[in-house]
Amino acid sequence: MDSDGDTLTRDHQRIHQEATLLAGAITNLGQRASVYHHLFECSGGRNVFPLIAAHGALWGAGYFALGMRVGALLSAQFLFSPALRQDKLRQLHAFADAFREINRQVCVEAYTAYHFSRLHGQAQGATRFLQPRLLAALDACHRAQALGEPLSQPERRELFEAFFLWEQAAIVGPAVERALAALDWPLIRQVALRPRIEFAYFPSSRDMKFADFASTAERIEKGMRAYELAERAGLDRVEHALRDYGVLPAAFFRDSLAHFRELRQRLDLPAQCPATG
């Protein structure tokens, strides 16, 4: 008979493997947006982090495409050094892929954390798999859902902040440092460190232009600002604004639950219990 620890390990591995399949390849930003949305929908709208992450994935799809075009234009400065030009463009593609990989990893961990805590959040030993603050915030979300109660705005903020701070420390920060260290193109580096984040639900992107994306403090400040703007706009409006990027298919907006079920079927994953209120 399995011990409790064996059960937790087995289920965590199973959910993580499932999450990895669902997150897709690094370029599957639209697919990841639908997975992020599933987590928001599955929580009955209580877990706001994945809804905002869905905006990040969809905005990123356009931003990376624009970055590639800008890079191709700027590479003209190396027109008479074809080998150097190819090397700079290779670095640019690797840099963009590093950020797509960040998005993929965050999706995997967000899915794993949510569904693992849904199964085993109260189990002794769960903190071996999830950071305690994040686990406590997810447990509050699951508890409210089980009781059919809303999650208060302070509780929603705590859940968002707990996951956001964890992913910045565990995934984003180290990956950004590695990506920047590998980019030997000062002009592109300067542009890359000063993005203007323009999620579809923002009333204005004026306050969302980075001075230095390498700054952990600034990434946290901007991330929490994105959350505050979502609450101010209203989560229904934020959810509806996912269509503004023109990336997700019409089938998603007709029936997002069916769209996610079909994704699971294509990946030969077992049926999953639907979201509850």
Side-chain angles (χ1 to χ4, degrees):
M1 181 179 294
D2 288 348
S3 69
D4 290 344
D6 290 339
T7 299
L8 296 185
T9 299
R10 184 186 63 242
D11 284 347
H12 188 271
Q13 290 175 344
R14 174 182 58 79
I15 295 168
H16 196 274
Q17 289 168 357
E18 183 174 287
T20 301
L21 286 173
L22 287 165
I26 59 172
T27 55
N28 293 148
L29 290 159
Q31 179 171 312
R32 282 196 289 283
S34 71
V35 175
Y36 280 130
H37 179 267
H38 150 76
L39 296 173
F40 172 72
E41 192 167 40
C42 189
S43 74
R46 295 170 179 84
N47 186 6
V48 182
F49 176 87
L51 177 61
I52 296 177
H55 277 273
L58 296 173
W59 173 81
Y63 183 74
F64 291 135
L66 175 62
M68 292 300 103
R69 292 195 296 271
V70 170
L73 290 172
L74 293 178
S75 72
Q77 65 183 297
F78 307 114
L79 194 59
F80 298 106
S81 301
L84 181 59
R85 186 184 191 190
Q86 286 303 311
D87 182 61
K88 296 302 185 185
L89 289 173
R90 179 195 58 76
Q91 289 185 41
L92 176 60
H93 280 274
F95 185 76
D97 282 349
F99 279 82
R100 294 185 184 104
E101 175 61 16
I102 289 171
N103 183 268
R104 191 195 68 82
Q105 288 184 28
V106 171
C107 183
V108 169
E109 297 305 330
Y111 185 97
T112 302
Y114 181 82
H115 284 292
F116 177 80
S117 62
R118 197 179 186 195
L119 276 179
H120 297 301
Q122 298 295 317
Q124 187 174 7
T127 53
R128 289 196 294 116
F129 301 91
L130 291 176
Q131 191 258 0
R133 180 183 177 185
L134 176 58
L135 179 61
L138 283 165
D139 282 347
C141 176
H142 299 314
R143 186 163 53 250
Q145 190 165 9
L147 295 171
E149 297 176 352
L151 203 62
S152 69
Q153 195 277 328
E155 289 173 313
R156 291 196 302 273
R157 180 188 174 92
E158 169 61 15
L159 178 52
F160 178 90
E161 187 172 28
F163 198 94
F164 186 71
L165 293 182
W166 178 84
E167 57 106 19
Q168 286 294 314
I171 300 173
V172 179
V176 168
E177 288 182 8
R178 290 192 300 269
L180 288 171
L183 181 63
D184 181 23
W185 191 351
L187 184 56
I188 287 292
R189 182 186 179 95
Q190 183 178 4
V191 172
L193 289 176
R194 295 175 59 83
R196 183 189 297 273
I197 311 301
E198 298 180 290
F199 291 176
Y201 67 88
F202 288 175
S204 167
S205 62
R206 184 179 64 252
D207 297 333
M208 298 299 285
K209 181 173 176 59
F210 275 83
D212 181 7
F213 192 81
S215 166
T216 299
E218 189 174 9
R219 290 198 306 271
I220 291 171
E221 183 269 324
K222 293 289 193 292
M224 295 309 300
R225 176 70 173 156
Y227 166 77
E228 290 162 2
L229 290 172
E231 289 283 1
R232 189 176 303 172
L235 299 182
D236 287 345
R237 180 183 167 195
V238 174
E239 184 180 19
H240 187 267
L242 293 172
R243 69 175 62 243
D244 294 352
Y245 302 96
V247 175
L248 288 168
F252 171 86
F253 297 104
R254 283 197 301 271
D255 188 338
S256 56
L257 287 172
H259 183 266
F260 186 70
R261 284 196 302 270
E262 289 166 8
L263 172 60
R264 294 183 64 87
Q265 289 170 2
R266 289 200 305 273
L267 296 172
D268 291 325
L269 292 172
Q272 190 179 60
C273 58
T276 58

